[in-house]
Amino acid sequence: MPLDETSMMVTASSAELEAFTQENSESVKFHFAIIPEMKIDSGLSALSKHAKCDLTVTAMNTHQTSAKRKPTIKKTKSTVTLRMVVAPMAETERVAFLEFAKQQSTSSDAPFDFHYPEKQLEGHQHYVDVTLSACGHTDKVSKVFAGRREVIWVERSMPAYTHNRWARGVCDTGNHASHPLDTSPLANFTGRGDIVGISDTGIDMKHCYFRDPNQPTPYIQASAATALTPNFNHRKVVQYYLGTDGSQNSDRLDDEEGHGTHVAGTVAGRPIDRYGDYKRYEGMVSDAKIAFFDIGNQDSSIDTGALIVPTDLNTGMFNIMYLAGTRIFSNSWGTSNRNYDTQARQVDTFMWNHPDALVLFSAGNSGESGGRTINSPSTNKNGVSVGASLNDHDSWLAYELEKEDYYGIDAVAGFSSQGPTTDNRMKPTILAPGFWTTSARGDFNSSKDFCDVRVLRGTSMACPTAAGYAVKVRRYFLDGFYPTGARTPANSFTPSGALIKAVLVHSGQKMLYRVASNAGADGIHAVTDSTAYPSNMVGYGRIQMNSVLNFAASTTNPLNFFVIGGATAADANYRQFTAAGTHTYTFTTSSSASQHAIRVTLSYTDFPGSVVTTASAMVNILHVTVNGVSPYLVSGNIRDNTQVIDIPNPAASTTYTVTVTAASITQSPQAYALVVTGATTYVEDGPSDDESYSIPEDNFTASGGALKYILALGILALLLACLVYFIRRINRRKASEMVDPAMYEDGDYYEERAQLGKRSIFAKIADIRKNGGRKHPAREMEQEYYD
């Protein structure tokens, strides 16, 4: 049965209700939010007739305000905006509602301004903003509108704020000096052919990381949103959308902090010229292009530091970048609202409607305040909430005094916000380096082309790092690396956002420490143990891709790697549920006494939840088990759409069955993603029922056992060696008759080495200082806290 996108309101006909109850014979609890025009008496009769349980219907007064808003919307000294979710209306109803709002807005005791969207999607809910300057009447005005039958929900709209050299190696292999995902000829995942979406304060287009002297920057004014014209010939930025109000963002600059320039550089910055050492600080996917959405605020009348964010992130921001080719979205900002609110729901709605997309948000920088500090929109279900870990130990030494090894990749940053969400879902999702990160420095007043870097810290820095790796994961499947581990165009398929998320989570590494945000009086950052895994402090840990992706960069070679998760039914490896049931996948370990750990990750893009209830944002409920072993429990709740099971010491010659169970499907179809790794397993035939699938043999050791496989390879190698020996004997005999042996001199061999040198950019800058130049960057350390 279709539900309204915001209210979870049943809009089914009587026939649909009857069909639904015939298909779902088990006990079901129904929650209806009914508006007066709905005629469902016959539908309720159908439910009562066909349900195999007693049906109790409790009528709710549609004007009951307590069910349609937060219990109390507190007073505040500053301007307040109330956001209302309004049901679809006919034109006559819309006019009546506007007239009511106008009358209320001129009330002498509680005046306010209101914004009604000029355009509505027929048959869809929409949002209305009410701005009050007389903030003592906030609660009163919210009650007035909550009493209207057209209004589904009322909440306070919270302002949004903004929340490389070492990070690339850390996320590749755990070693900053080794990043084969972009240097290895086998992989070469530098972002070529990809477009990443970024919403932030702006980009300084004069910076060498983004400038293109041959192509104009494709600025798009908000008023011309219907005529989006990306410039795909620009070497770096294909679209620069000037926000929801062109007059407030028309300066085409980053803010004075240079936040957006730094973030964009972390994802995809690449110097147009060599510029010496600056290339070492280019982005995670330096050949990718950017679709940029400017949410910066240059309007002094608006709260200082607050961003100008579209009312509907789904249609007003993400979809604009999606049309420009974006599938991975990086957002380093958030509000102070810690609930599952309309913005979090808009993220889930976008991903439900665009299964090939993945949206990432920074978790926030309030971790020193403890748990439940994850801010919306990062409280969404389907996207990735990114917390911050420390960067490589060498980066710490460049900026701090402490030399102990625990100031490195195995430590979570103290400022990184912690979960759980208010409905007990675990957050953050994963961690990426964000303490410290070196990237592009913006110059607010620059009138000339330039190139410069700066160091910042914050989950704002971690999010674009993780987004860069999401781009790499997506490219892995698009280029056909799965399942053989080598680029094979015939094996290409479009991965779902859920699959990309599952791979990021699957790569997560356990954290050992937590490092305080600021140094104490002794100049030392306090360190505490952080051994719980996973947890609401570290999520599933830091990204490390060579623990999951199968090619030469893997920690085990070959690394057995099995996935489910095509974006649509037309893609390979797509699986879905249309009703409650189970899917099973079986595989068996070899007879070897030494077994590699098995990890199983389930992720699925859930239908958007209800902002009305605080019980749970989950709608469809899926679980995964392995031989009866359940996923990790965090906060005592596995009703989450990302689940992980680890079997660190699997038994030899043992069959393991992965079971995905759809416990409850209220919105179908429900697709899912599954990732399984284990280095010594091979497939056996699974159960024969239609809902069972087998792991493909071409990705695991061939059926028959590891011993047969090794013997076959040995025989083949021996035959090839014999063939080569005889060919060489023949060639040498012929050569001795024609050529003087003295001509056989040792050939010249060249080994290409990375010219990294012993002198870093900091040493070079130090030399400049001696000549009256700039200060050492370590002395200009800048930290970022945007809560």
Side-chain angles (χ1 to χ4, degrees):
M1 292 185 297
L3 301 188
D4 176 84
E5 289 187 350
T6 294
S7 67
M8 299 296 296
M9 177 171 54
V10 177
T11 58
S13 64
S14 301
E16 288 173 318
L17 287 171
E18 184 170 354
F20 176 80
T21 54
Q22 289 174 336
E23 294 173 3
N24 297 270
S25 58
E26 298 181 359
S27 298
V28 181
K29 175 185 279 187
F30 295 93
H31 181 129
F32 296 97
I34 306 171
I35 58 176
E37 287 77 4
M38 290 185 63
K39 301 181 183 301
I40 68 165
D41 290 343
S42 58
L44 292 175
S45 298
L47 280 173
S48 180
K49 176 181 178 181
H50 295 287
K52 295 183 178 180
C53 59
D54 293 334
L55 177 65
T56 302
V57 179
T58 302
M60 179 186 293
N61 183 350
T62 58
H63 295 264
Q64 185 177 343
T65 62
S66 60
K68 298 163 68 175
R69 69 186 195 108
K70 296 298 179 186
T72 301
I73 299 180
K74 297 180 180 179
K75 302 177 182 180
T76 177
K77 295 181 180 179
S78 59
T79 299
V80 171
T81 298
L82 298 178
R83 177 157 297 165
M84 295 180 289
V85 182
V86 182
M89 291 183 289
E91 180 61 20
T92 55
E93 295 173 315
R94 189 178 75 89
V95 171
F97 180 78
L98 286 175
E99 184 61 30
F100 169 79
K102 290 178 181 178
Q103 292 175 358
Q104 294 296 319
S105 68
T106 57
S107 172
S108 59
D109 58 341
F112 59 84
D113 296 325
F114 72 97
H115 172 73
Y116 192 89
E118 295 180 2
K119 295 183 179 180
Q120 302 177 49
L121 294 176
E122 184 177 354
H124 289 70
Q125 52 76 29
H126 49 280
Y127 305 94
V128 177
D129 284 351
V130 172
T131 303
L132 299 96
S133 56
C135 301
H137 301 287
T138 305
D139 199 53
K140 176 179 179 180
V141 174
S142 70
K143 288 181 179 179
V144 169
F145 279 98
R148 295 284 299 185
R149 60 186 178 85
E150 304 94 336
V151 175
I152 298 169
W153 181 248
V154 181
E155 66 183 19
R156 183 180 174 188
S157 177
M158 306 300 293
Y161 298 89
T162 53
H163 273 27
N164 344 130
R165 170 184 172 187
W166 290 286
R168 184 182 295 108
V170 171
C171 293
D172 263 24
T173 63
N175 177 0
H176 82 274
S178 176
H179 41 94
L181 291 193
D182 52 26
T183 59
S184 168
L186 179 63
N188 196 28
F189 292 155
T190 61
R192 189 175 301 276
D194 297 306
I195 298 174
V196 59
I198 304 172
S199 62
D200 215 290
T201 58
I203 297 179
D204 194 328
M205 292 302 297
K206 292 182 174 60
H207 196 285
C208 70
Y209 277 19
F210 313 104
R211 185 174 70 251
D212 187 340
N214 302 314
Q215 291 290 331
T217 302
Y219 293 108
I220 300 173
Q221 293 285 353
S223 59
T226 56
L228 300 176
T229 53
N231 179 5
F232 295 108
N233 293 321
H234 195 284
R235 77 170 190 94
K236 186 52 61 180
V237 179
V238 302
Q239 175 181 281
Y240 195 123
Y241 189 79
L242 294 173
T244 57
D245 187 337
S247 64
Q248 294 169 340
N249 300 287
S250 58
D251 60 6
R252 304 180 181 187
L253 297 175
D254 196 356
D255 65 0
E256 293 188 30
E257 295 292 333
H259 187 273
T261 298
H262 194 279
V263 165
T266 302
V267 182
R270 182 172 182 266
I272 189 171
D273 298 312
R274 293 294 299 178
Y275 275 97
D277 229 14
Y278 290 112
K279 183 172 175 56
R280 300 171 71 183
Y281 301 95
E282 65 185 13
M284 301 298 104
V285 279
S286 58
D287 285 329
K289 296 187 178 183
I290 297 170
F292 191 77
F293 196 105
D294 194 333
I295 56 174
N297 168 25
Q298 281 80 45
D299 188 344
S300 60
S301 66
I302 299 178
D303 182 13
T304 302
L307 304 174
I308 304 174
V309 179
T311 302
D312 190 341
L313 301 179
N314 174 19
T315 60
M317 185 168 76
F318 296 137
N319 194 57
I320 291 173
M321 292 186 281
Y322 185 90
L323 293 175
T326 293
R327 297 299 180 267
I328 305 297
F329 301 79
S330 179
N331 308 273
S332 292
W333 55 271
T335 72
S336 58
N337 191 346
R338 292 168 181 172
N339 298 312
Y340 183 79
D341 63 0
T342 55
Q343 287 190 331
R345 191 180 189 281
Q346 288 161 5
V347 175
D348 290 340
T349 300
F350 176 78
M351 285 192 59
W352 175 266
N353 293 333
H354 302 84
D356 59 343
L358 180 64
V359 179
L360 297 92
F361 270 91
S362 54
N365 300 320
S366 302
E368 295 291 2
S369 298
R372 299 192 187 277
T373 51
I374 301 289
N375 298 324
S376 174
S378 203
T379 52
N380 69 79
K381 299 178 295 181
N382 297 332
V384 175
S385 172
V386 186
S389 61
L390 267 64
N391 215 326
D392 188 82
H393 185 58
D394 283 3
S395 75
W396 187 266
L397 293 177
Y399 305 117
E400 300 287 357
L401 299 176
E402 299 97 336
K403 294 181 172 57
E404 289 79 3
D405 289 341
Y406 40 70
Y407 294 104
I409 63 175
D410 293 324
V412 60
F415 57 74
S416 185
S417 287
Q418 304 176 32
T421 61
T422 54
D423 61 333
N424 283 332
R425 288 175 291 113
M426 189 186 79
K427 292 286 181 178
T429 312
I430 45 88
L431 304 178
F435 189 2
W436 300 92
T437 299
T438 306
S439 184
R441 176 197 293 270
D443 190 335
F444 186 70
N445 295 313
S446 176
S447 59
K448 298 180 180 180
D449 298 340
F450 70 101
C451 201
D452 199 1
V453 295
R454 72 185 298 194
V455 58
L456 289 175
R457 65 177 185 172
T459 58
S460 282
M461 285 63 253
C463 184
T465 299
Y469 274 83
V471 172
K472 293 174 187 280
V473 172
R474 183 171 183 270
R475 180 53 55 183
Y476 178 92
F477 295 109
L478 288 176
D479 283 2
F481 275 85
Y482 180 80
T484 64
R487 184 176 277 106
T488 309
N491 291 335
S492 172
F493 73 94
T494 301
S496 65
L499 176 56
I500 300 171
K501 177 181 179 180
V503 172
L504 292 176
V505 167
H506 201 89
S507 78
Q509 303 295 299
K510 185 176 181 179
M511 308 302 288
L512 301 178
Y513 312 107
R514 177 182 182 273
V515 173
S517 304
N518 298 309
D522 57 358
I524 302 299
H525 290 72
V527 177
T528 55
D529 290 337
S530 176
T531 56
Y533 180 86
S535 73
N536 283 304
M537 181 183 294
V538 305
Y540 288 103
R542 62 174 177 83
I543 296 171
Q544 186 172 314
M545 281 294 106
N546 71 336
S547 67
V548 54
L549 295 185
N550 174 24
F551 41 25
S554 299
T555 53
T556 57
N557 190 17
L559 178 71
N560 295 324
F561 180 39
F562 167 68
V563 305
I564 293 295
T568 67
D571 291 304
N573 307 298
Y574 177 85
R575 301 289 185 271
Q576 68 177 31
F577 288 101
T578 57
T582 61
H583 295 173
T584 59
Y585 308 82
T586 62
F587 54 96
T588 303
T589 57
S590 73
S591 58
S592 171
S594 175
Q595 300 289 333
H596 289 271
I598 295 173
R599 169 166 277 200
V600 177
T601 300
L602 170 72
S603 183
Y604 62 98
T605 297
D606 191 25
F607 188 81
S610 171
V611 298
V612 177
T613 178
T614 58
S616 175
M618 300 303 299
V619 179
N620 294 332
I621 306 300
L622 271 58
H623 294 157
V624 65
T625 58
V626 180
N627 285 15
V629 178
S630 297
Y632 287 109
L633 287 175
V634 179
S635 303
N637 185 3
I638 64 168
R639 293 188 65 185
D640 200 335
N641 56 340
T642 300
Q643 302 164 27
V644 175
I645 299 174
D646 279 328
I647 303 177
N649 299 298
S653 302
T654 301
T655 297
Y656 287 90
T657 300
V658 176
T659 303
V660 180
T661 301
S664 174
I665 302 293
T666 59
Q667 289 294 307
S668 68
Q670 177 62 68
Y672 64 90
L674 183 70
V675 178
V676 182
T677 54
T680 56
T681 59
Y682 63 90
V683 68
E684 286 188 345
D685 292 336
S688 59
D689 63 89
D690 293 338
E691 299 292 359
S692 299
Y693 306 92
S694 297
I695 299 173
E697 291 186 5
D698 58 0
N699 194 41
F700 283 74
T701 307
S703 181
L707 181 60
K708 294 180 181 179
Y709 182 70
I710 294 172
L711 287 175
L713 288 178
I715 294 172
L716 179 60
L718 180 62
L719 292 175
L720 289 174
C722 292
L723 180 62
V724 171
Y725 172 78
F726 285 115
I727 291 175
R728 286 182 174 177
R729 286 287 301 271
I730 294 171
N731 287 340
R732 287 175 180 173
R733 180 173 297 177
K734 291 181 179 180
S736 65
E737 298 173 355
M738 297 182 294
V739 184
D740 186 344
M743 296 179 63
Y744 283 95
E745 301 290 346
D746 290 337
D748 293 328
Y749 294 90
Y750 297 89
E751 180 178 1
E752 182 179 356
R753 298 179 180 272
Q755 300 300 320
L756 297 178
K758 296 183 178 180
R759 294 181 59 75
S760 70
I761 187 172
F762 306 110
K764 295 175 183 177
I765 293 177
D767 291 343
I768 295 174
R769 288 184 61 212
K770 293 179 181 179
N771 298 320
R774 292 186 55 187
K775 295 181 180 179
H776 191 298
R779 304 292 177 86
E780 280 193 317
M781 286 188 307
E782 300 173 64
Q783 67 184 34
E784 180 207 37
Y785 281 111
Y786 299 99
D787 293 320

